[in-house]
Amino acid sequence: RYRRAGGTAALDTIVHVESVDVATDTEAGGARAGRMIPMLLVMTLFIGGSALSTDLFAGEKERGTLETLYLTPVHRSRIARAKFLVVWGATATTGVLNLASLLVCFRVGLISAPGNSTASVALIGDGVMTAFLLVVPLAALVGGVLLGISAFARSLKEAQYYVTPVMLVAILPGLLAMG
């Protein structure tokens, strides 16, 4: 529009644009910490649930105890649900404990704001509670994926081979959020 109106000078000589960050150091530190926490949480959930989930199906297949379990008068769907609830509970517990330890470390000052060692981090109660509540469905998703991989694998070692690339793919969105 400027050129059509007859303007000939370069726009950057007429208009000066300056970027000003109005956030305090505490708010900026909290924003940087908020970008880091999803990746750490997903990684922690996978690590916390992988050992248990791979042993519940693949490990039992390898030891021959899964067949014995199927001979009991309990329906297979109840066995699968119980195994899922165990993995979900362990994964959620891992996630909650990880978030709690991160919260304590940020509050005490053991961990400083990423990128700025002098800034404290703003951890608002609503944001912290939301993070704790979001652990529950994320743990269910991660636990279900891990249990599915374990049920597909024929041995414990094979299940571990399958879990590693899935974990790396799951961490990828967290890495992109950090950028």
Side-chain angles (χ1 to χ4, degrees), residues 36-76:
M36 180 179 63
I37 288 175
M39 190 227 12
L40 290 174
L41 185 61
V42 169
M43 192 168 51
T44 303
L45 290 175
F46 264 95
I47 291 170
S50 65
L52 182 62
S53 68
T54 54
D55 190 56
L56 280 178
F57 273 112
E60 286 189 7
K61 280 184 203 176
E62 198 170 347
R63 288 187 301 271
T65 57
L66 190 62
E67 291 82 6
T68 308
L69 185 61
Y70 284 150
L71 291 175
T72 61
V74 179
H75 196 268
R76 289 182 180 203

Side-chain angles (χ1 to χ4, degrees), residues 35-127:
R35 280 187 239 118
M36 180 179 63
I37 288 175
M39 190 227 12
L40 290 174
L41 185 61
V42 169
M43 192 168 51
T44 303
L45 290 175
F46 264 95
I47 291 170
S50 65
L52 182 62
S53 68
T54 54
D55 190 56
L56 280 178
F57 273 112
E60 286 189 7
K61 280 184 203 176
E62 198 170 347
R63 288 187 301 271
T65 57
L66 190 62
E67 291 82 6
T68 308
L69 185 61
Y70 284 150
L71 291 175
T72 61
V74 179
H75 196 268
R76 289 182 180 203
S77 65
R78 283 192 175 183
I79 294 171
R81 261 183 284 166
K83 287 179 183 273
F84 172 71
L85 288 175
V86 167
V87 172
W88 183 14
T91 307
T93 302
T94 302
V96 167
L97 290 176
N98 179 35
L99 279 178
S101 69
L102 281 173
L103 177 66
V104 168
C105 288
F106 274 122
R107 292 277 168 120
V108 172
L110 295 174
I111 301 175
S112 61
N116 188 353
S117 60
T118 61
S120 61
V121 177
L123 296 172
I124 301 167
D126 293 343

